[in-house]
Amino acid sequence: MIWYEDEVHQLEKKVRSTAEVTNRTVFYGSSSIRLWNTLDQDFSGKPVLNIGFGGSTLAACGWFFERLVVPVQPRSIVFYAGDNDLGDGRHAEEVYLFFCALTAKMQRHLPEVPFSFVAIKPSPARWHLINTIRFANQLIRQKIERMPGYHYVDIFTPMLDNSGRPRWELFESDGLHLSRKGYALWQQVMLQHPEIF
């Protein structure tokens, strides 16, 4: 976890500097969150805070949860991670267990706060992992369905074309990170989830 310390330290400063702002929807997770540079404009009029950090795994998000998320006292949380864990060779079951550990921290520190898990995306760069991605999403979705106040945000399905392959226009040239069209799609899906805001 030492690898993330510099960026996490900068995020802690950001959290402290905006501590007077309350009732925010916190976007937390890996680079798909961190690189969402138009978040404020995309959800104009809604108080949001981006505390994503690059390259983060679901395990790392759990590790830094008390330092980054709890101090904000968010109105709700939008969470995206798991992608990098699978890319690092973790199994779907491990990602599920990391998610369970994170939700245990949620229930301990922020039991009344709505939590929205954004499905692990079907990127071209990780297409060789697609069955593992599907299984991880399935395990997490099944747990969420048993948890009041938790929501599954399905960005996976609309990111596929009619033949069931990733829509390239939604991704940057690396086939992993989202393009502006990809973020526009995420925005559209999230606005259909009133619990987020």
Side-chain angles (χ1 to χ4, degrees), residues 49-67:
L49 177 67
N50 186 332
I51 51 172
F53 54 107
S56 62
T57 57
L58 210 160
C61 289
W63 182 262
F64 293 111
F65 182 81
E66 287 92 344
R67 288 172 59 183

Side-chain angles (χ1 to χ4, degrees), residues 95-188:
V95 172
Y96 170 72
L97 291 174
F98 295 145
F99 179 75
C100 292
L102 179 67
T103 58
K105 291 188 175 194
M106 271 292 299
Q107 291 169 328
R108 186 180 320 126
H109 296 288
L110 302 168
E112 305 301 320
V113 175
F115 183 97
S116 298
F117 176 81
V118 181
I120 301 170
K121 67 184 185 294
S123 61
R126 292 190 172 147
W127 190 247
H128 61 290
L129 298 171
I130 193 60
N131 290 333
T132 308
I133 291 170
R134 289 183 195 275
F135 188 38
N137 281 335
Q138 177 189 340
L139 291 172
I140 292 171
R141 186 173 199 163
Q142 287 172 345
K143 180 174 178 65
I144 285 173
E145 287 171 353
R146 302 190 301 269
M147 300 178 72
Y150 287 69
H151 310 275
Y152 181 86
V153 180
D154 182 17
I155 52 79
F156 183 96
T157 305
M159 293 187 79
L160 298 175
D161 63 22
N162 292 334
S163 66
R165 303 283 297 188
R167 294 167 53 190
W168 257 106
E169 75 274 12
L170 302 177
F171 295 90
E172 296 288 357
S173 58
D174 63 5
L176 181 62
H177 295 102
L178 295 175
S179 67
R180 186 67 202 106
K181 288 183 178 178
Y183 283 115
L185 184 145
W186 280 31
Q187 173 201 26
Q188 181 183 14

